[in-house]
Amino acid sequence: MKTSSTAVQSGVVMVEVQLDADDLKKFVIAAEESLTHQVKLDGFRAGKTPKDVLRKKIGEDAIREEALQIAVRESLAEVAKQEKYDILDQEKFEVKKNTPEEFSYTVQLHLYPLVALGEYRGVVGHRKEISVSEEEIKKILGDITQSRAELKLVSRPAQKGDQVEADFTI
């Protein structure tokens, strides 16, 4: 795998990745392994389908497509690891060459910005004094009690504070 990176602007790099035939063979094997677990064929347990039967069932194009997806994902992860990129987003993905002997692509990566901390040691915060009166505590506790009260049906004349339901017709 060959890679090159070019800074486009601050926090944006253009990455070019070239994979040769040996790299692509690894990804084709990984794609076959992945697809044997995904594709259900009668007479075979999941993950135990022979590769030649799998190729006949789903075709070479499906395997190649899966291999290229794995190749892009893993090669881009390897570039990010090597270059210590903290990728925020990617765009402008373009395949440059796609043959059985070589696969190359470019992609523009947006990186998380580098943050430089200023001098923060020795900075002292001021606490605001908070005071709560006994009346405020009682009011809040009363509000909480009222909000969690349950209505109960009683058999007595209505009193102040009771909830009354009335049905009437005119």
Side-chain angles (χ1 to χ4, degrees), residues 74-163:
E74 290 186 8
S75 62
L76 198 53
E78 182 65 28
V79 168
K81 183 179 176 184
Q82 285 176 355
E83 300 292 331
K84 295 184 174 71
Y85 289 151
D86 194 6
I87 300 172
L88 176 66
D89 193 16
Q90 60 186 11
E91 66 178 9
K92 297 183 182 175
F93 179 85
E94 184 179 345
V95 175
K96 296 292 185 180
K97 191 170 188 182
N98 186 4
T99 66
E101 296 80 32
E102 182 183 351
F103 177 68
S104 63
Y105 66 91
T106 59
V107 63
Q108 186 171 323
L109 303 175
H110 293 266
L111 308 176
Y112 280 99
L114 297 175
V115 178
L117 295 177
E119 185 56 43
Y120 62 90
R121 297 180 197 272
V123 175
V124 179
H126 300 286
R127 292 184 182 212
K128 184 178 176 182
E129 217 29 67
I130 299 174
S131 63
V132 181
S133 69
E134 197 64 37
E135 290 176 10
E136 290 174 315
I137 294 172
K138 286 181 181 178
K139 180 185 179 308
I140 294 299
L141 288 175
D143 291 346
I144 292 172
T145 304
Q146 186 67 28
S147 70
R148 296 184 181 177
E150 294 180 14
L151 298 178
K152 292 186 179 179
L153 188 60
V154 293
S155 298
R156 60 170 169 73
Q159 298 176 355
K160 185 175 181 181
D162 286 352
Q163 181 174 350

Side-chain angles (χ1 to χ4, degrees), residues 34-89:
S34 173
L35 289 171
T36 59
H37 291 286
Q38 294 175 16
V39 176
K40 304 284 186 212
L41 293 175
D42 292 337
F44 298 102
R45 290 181 291 161
K48 302 296 183 183
T49 306
K51 303 216 182 329
D52 58 331
V53 174
L54 179 71
R55 285 181 180 277
K56 287 179 186 175
K57 178 67 177 174
I58 63 173
E60 293 290 329
D61 290 340
I63 294 172
R64 182 159 173 81
E65 182 179 332
E66 179 73 14
L68 292 179
Q69 287 179 4
I70 293 171
V72 169
R73 184 174 57 241
E74 290 186 8
S75 62
L76 198 53
E78 182 65 28
V79 168
K81 183 179 176 184
Q82 285 176 355
E83 300 292 331
K84 295 184 174 71
Y85 289 151
D86 194 6
I87 300 172
L88 176 66
D89 193 16

